[in-house]
């Protein structure tokens, strides 16, 4: 798929995954770097902008269904803001090749975790 059609399909599929809360933005980042050929840093910036409306659209359904732990909100938001600022600084300071390798290792580790991790019983 080329041009805007491929981007629209990737956005739609990752939007569905984001609505489920399973990291559709990460898959969008993979699409943008591997398929669309964008620079890693540019793809990360686009991914950050993508996440804002995607997260806001999914949030009301999760709140309505009681899937938000209100006591964890402020600590998670605070830690997320501080670490996002540090991560953004680090991403712009690190060599592009190293950044791509670190992201690849991260994806492999998450994949292994999902494949090999123990499943909790759902009540």
């Amino acid at each position: 798929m080329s041009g805007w059609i491929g981007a629209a399909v990737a956005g739609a599929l990752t939007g569905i995954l984001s609505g489920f809360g399973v990291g559709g933005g990460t898959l969008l980042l993979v699409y943008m770097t591997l398929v669309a050929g964008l620079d890693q840093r540019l793809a990360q910036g686009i991914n950050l902008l993508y996440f804002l409306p995607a997260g806001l659209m999914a949030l009301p359904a999760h709140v309505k269904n009681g899937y938000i732990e209100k006591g964890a909100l402020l600590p998670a938001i605070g830690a997320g803001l501080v670490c996002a600022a540090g991560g953004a600084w680090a991403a712009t300071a690190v060599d592009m090749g190293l950044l791509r390798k670190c992201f690849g290792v991260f994806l492999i580790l998450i994949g292994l975790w999902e494949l090999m991790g123990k499943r909790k019983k759902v009540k």
Side-chain angles (χ1 to χ4, degrees), residues 16-119:
I16 292 168
L17 293 173
S18 292
F20 291 152
V22 293
T26 301
L27 296 175
L28 183 62
L29 186 59
V30 171
Y31 165 80
M32 288 188 289
T33 56
L34 293 180
V35 177
L38 294 179
D39 177 81
Q40 177 91 18
R41 289 187 184 112
L42 177 60
Q44 287 173 200
I46 292 169
N47 187 47
L48 291 171
L49 290 173
Y50 163 86
F51 176 74
L52 294 173
L56 286 174
M57 293 305 296
L59 186 60
H62 290 283
V63 170
K64 177 183 172 223
N65 291 311
Y67 297 140
I68 304 294
E69 180 66 40
K70 293 180 179 154
L73 281 177
L74 288 180
I77 290 170
L81 289 173
V82 169
C83 291
W89 174 81
T92 59
V94 171
D95 174 65
M96 181 66 67
L98 178 61
L99 183 63
R100 290 179 67 95
K101 288 176 185 170
C102 289
F103 183 65
V105 168
F106 168 75
L107 290 177
I108 290 169
L109 291 174
I110 293 299
L112 290 172
W113 178 277
E114 287 297 315
L115 287 173
M116 306 298 182
K118 293 182 181 179
R119 300 284 178 215

